Every structure is written in C-alpha cells, then in structure tokens.
Amino acid sequence: KGKTRASIRRIHLSETAKRVLSYRMGRFSGEYLFPKKDMDGEKPTGTLDKLHAETVANLGFKFRLYDCRHTFATRVLETGKVDLLTLASILGHASLQMIMRYAHPSEMHKADAIKHLETARIRIKIG
C-alpha cells in the first residue's frame, strides 16, 4: 500500500541495512521482523512513535523520525552522484517538487557550489 503509485516501489538496501535485517531475520523464528519487545512469536510492533517519543523525551531534545528522510535526501544530493529524478523515485515521490521539501543543502555545500562554478569559469577562459 502507499499514498500514491510512486510510493509503491522496490527498495534497494545498503550492505549495512542488509546485514541488520539479516540479523533480525535470524534472531526470530516467528513471522515478524520486529515483534513486540523483541519476543519471538509476539505480534509485531505496531508503531515506533511511542517508543521514539519516550526516548527523545529522556534524551531532552527534539527529533522526529521523519527527520531521517530529510537528512537522507540532503546527504544523497550533496554527494553529487544522484540526480533529482532518481532521488524522487527512491523516496517514492511522484514529483520533483516534493524533493524541495526534503532536501536542504548546507551552507558549506552551497559555498562549494560557487567555488566549483568559479573554477569551471577559469578553466573555460584558459582552455
């Protein structure tokens, strides 16, 4: 299920994510990857919201789980290796406009972009 057709997609995992999920799959013999309280045979954890809220309150700072999507989108774009269309597809967005809500280039990244532009202009003039 998903909100849009774009949200129904194949999820490609990093090697680290694959190791974590493989560990979880080997840890429990029941049908759930995340059983309640990590007890084999228990119903699945319905939501992480309550656990997350308790943890964040105990740590004394604000952090939404959805912030991870923003960080991911920003870091992927800052690598310069992934185009906007591919990132939109990875995130399950139907339009590029949604990327604008998620990706927030850092000041350092923006400054580096201007440096690259300047370097490219100098090479063009010399070349």
Side-chain angles (χ1 to χ4, degrees):
K1 292 183 178 181
K3 292 180 190 176
T4 66
R5 285 176 48 117
S7 66
I8 300 169
R9 64 206 182 275
R10 180 176 298 238
I11 305 295
H12 299 275
L13 300 173
S14 67
E15 291 305 315
T16 301
K18 288 177 187 176
R19 280 195 304 276
V20 169
L21 292 177
S22 291
Y23 167 77
R24 297 283 308 177
M25 289 168 55
R27 186 170 171 193
F28 306 106
S29 61
E31 63 181 301
Y32 301 115
L33 187 58
F34 296 99
K36 267 192 182 157
K37 300 187 184 195
D38 278 358
M39 301 288 293
D40 199 8
E42 291 292 313
K43 290 182 180 180
T45 299
T47 179
L48 295 176
D49 290 341
K50 185 178 175 186
L51 293 171
H52 175 76
E54 288 173 8
T55 302
V56 169
N58 289 337
L59 293 172
F61 62 87
K62 293 182 180 180
F63 177 76
R64 301 169 304 150
L65 286 173
Y66 233 64
D67 291 339
C68 295
R69 284 178 65 86
H70 291 262
T71 300
F72 174 79
T74 298
R75 298 296 181 263
V76 166
L77 282 181
E78 286 186 342
T79 68
K81 304 290 184 190
V82 178
D83 61 272
L84 292 173
L85 188 58
T86 301
L87 179 58
S89 181
I90 288 169
L91 293 174
H93 294 157
S95 72
L96 295 179
Q97 269 188 317
M98 288 301 292
I99 296 298
M100 298 299 289
R101 291 186 184 180
Y102 283 89
H104 313 286
S106 67
E107 291 303 319
M108 183 186 304
H109 186 70
K110 291 186 273 186
D112 286 346
I114 298 302
K115 287 178 189 174
H116 290 305
L117 175 65
E118 187 174 35
T119 302
R121 282 189 56 218
I122 291 169
R123 272 191 254 146
I124 290 171
K125 284 184 179 181
I126 295 172

